[in-house]
Amino acid sequence: MKRLVLLFVAFAMAVFCAQAAQASRPVTVIDDPRVLAVLDAKGYSFAGIFGVSGKDDLKTLYDAAPAYHAIVETVAADVAGLRAEMKAGGRPLYEMTDGNVGRIMDMRWLKTDAARFRLVGIVNRLDRRDFAALGGGKGCGEVRLIYRLAYSFRKNGKVLASRLPFNFNAVYNVAPDADGGCVGVAGRWMPQLDEAADPGWLAGGPLEKAGLFFKQLELNAQVVRFPSGQETEFGGQAAYLMRIFDIDGTAVGEKPLENTPDTVRLAQDAQLKAKLADYVRANAAAVDLGVYEIPDEFLARKVISWSTFGSARQANHPFTPLFEPKVFDGLDYSKFSLVRTPEALVDRLDNGACQGCHQAGSTAGFHFIGLDDATTSPLNRIEVGVSPHLHAEIPRREAWLRAISEGKEPNRFRPLSFAPPAVWEGTSEIAYAPAETAMPCLTPEDAVRFGNSWPCGAGTVCTPIATASGVRTKLAQCLLPKESGKIFSGHPCLTGTIASNAAQPFNDRYKTTGQFAAFAPAISRTAYTCRPPKIGVPGGFAYRGCDAKDLAFSAFRAGKPVPSEICGLVGGKKFDICVATNNFDQCLGGAVNRGNRPACSANHFCREDYMCQSLPSDTPGAAKVKGIGFCSPTYFLFQMRIDNHATPWANTARASMSAGFGASEEE
């Protein structure tokens, strides 16, 4: 216990010192929409990847760029194949529907003049040099430009605009210094006291094109969604397509997904599977460190990740069904820092696969969503554009960059993707911060398999809320004990189990098994009731209506800790249509209500399957809570669904008042 206290004190001191030295911090993420818009227009556009200049709408790109055209056709074939598979499994899908049925992406979005891929983020990944070095690479890691699908068009006299959950990540290798090192490269990401990370500084420094070499284009895209009115126990489901493309002029190739096994092929080829097991045994220390590259012969070129309860879903744990832990008996686990048992080794491999990482510690299957620009409806805006994982990763990447810029050996360890932030100084053992309320944790029976875990903070205890057949590790969160008097709106209130369907993950089934919080029998402004998943709240949702003090944000005081809950927006069934049609008079006239939600910010995140939504600036008293948002179920946000948006083309089905949200009743 004394050691834990000392580690936490070290963490707190490091945070204080980091804040004091803010001006000298390395730049790891660029997410300012104004800076990105300038770069987008000055040579860093998505169309530029394909050699297209001038107009950059997707119709122009589809017609003028053979490589983009080929990528769209590949994605269309993937989506068509998934649609056929789901139909055969009893799950028909529709591009536009007014029923509680499955929805699928309309591929016309990828070739319409009303849409483009907008630059929403730039991520410094020089720390990926550790991976390049495994193959003898001499570069200085990577830089990533992230583009998100966005549309804007005029219809019925109004401009309709939104983003969609469809991301491309353009990855560039970074050239080394003239002497072959990376000290200078790392230093270029550190603004001096009189410098700012503005477009000119970026383009003339760390993003100078002479030092960047295109590597690949990565896709992570929501392509299917089941609404909560259909998935009344899950609270909704979604499927995300993940691919990597190589582009060489007009030619496009499919690349293997890093450390992500081709489970179907491996299950059918015993010799190949045994060869992969041999690789894991020989490289177990590297897997423990988190810096490893499984050879291409074992890897998939396409996977689907699944939410909700993504961190628990068997489909997102691809190594678990492949290998019994006993296959890895006999290794000396005492010398590893994280992995202490064969079971933990398999779990570590699961978390390192694409679908494992993007559904644990993520936000709606993404680690980078980006902030909204001025075109986004105030009722459709997010307050935080990164995942809890990326937030926790930034201190590690900063420490890595500082070490390299100073010619020192960095700490190369990579935590599990759902770990909290930690202190990263030198190469010694890291000190995790206690996980905040509703953040992931390892139960004692799961933590014993790992060598370095983290405690729950703020009087919470690690509580399992979901288990899945075929998966060892439980979905657990740091939650208030049952007898706590500090319950707040948005706290989970239900436990459940998932019956996994290995062949058809879209037919996984969730069953509520118990209630552990919010026992009031009905909605009130004084007591908390447990709202059910059928209204779109996975895991249940403790809820108390807003009273007059809540509406005035009376609990929010300068210099005081941020309260656990805030009076946010409650959409109800009419909300989706007025957002989709930009019909704000209808929204303000009755479609938007107020209700208590968990408070969130850039430093305080929402639990799995929820994300931080912005309060509209014209909300009475909003200036008092600037920088603070409210946690909404992910698919409450219109921009986080691929389906039922207003379209520039005519639709045979009309989105009704109950279609977009898909809830079977209003909150």
Side-chain angles (χ1 to χ4, degrees), residues 373-421:
D373 66 10
T375 66
T376 303
S377 159
L379 300 171
N380 188 30
R381 301 177 69 87
I382 60 174
E383 186 67 31
V384 179
V386 301
S387 71
H389 165 66
L390 180 50
H391 172 72
E393 268 279 277
I394 287 174
R396 182 192 70 77
R397 297 177 190 177
E398 289 179 342
W400 192 98
L401 286 163
R402 281 194 296 268
I404 293 296
S405 68
E406 296 167 3
K408 298 177 181 178
E409 179 69 13
N411 189 331
R412 303 184 190 278
F413 176 74
R414 267 71 174 173
L416 296 166
S417 69
F418 52 89

Side-chain angles (χ1 to χ4, degrees), residues 445-514:
E445 55 267 36
D446 288 334
V448 73
R449 304 197 301 267
F450 295 91
N452 191 5
S453 186
W454 55 89
C456 287
T460 62
V461 294
C462 192
T463 306
I465 65 170
T467 59
S469 61
V471 177
R472 278 178 299 275
T473 304
K474 305 172 187 67
L475 168 54
Q477 296 172 353
C478 295
L479 303 178
L480 295 169
K482 186 175 181 179
E483 65 277 7
S484 174
K486 298 181 179 179
I487 190 72
F488 58 89
S489 288
H491 192 282
C493 49
L494 301 174
T495 58
T497 59
I498 300 169
S500 304
N501 187 323
Q504 298 178 337
F506 50 88
N507 280 326
D508 285 1
R509 286 292 171 262
Y510 178 90
K511 180 181 179 181
T512 300
T513 56

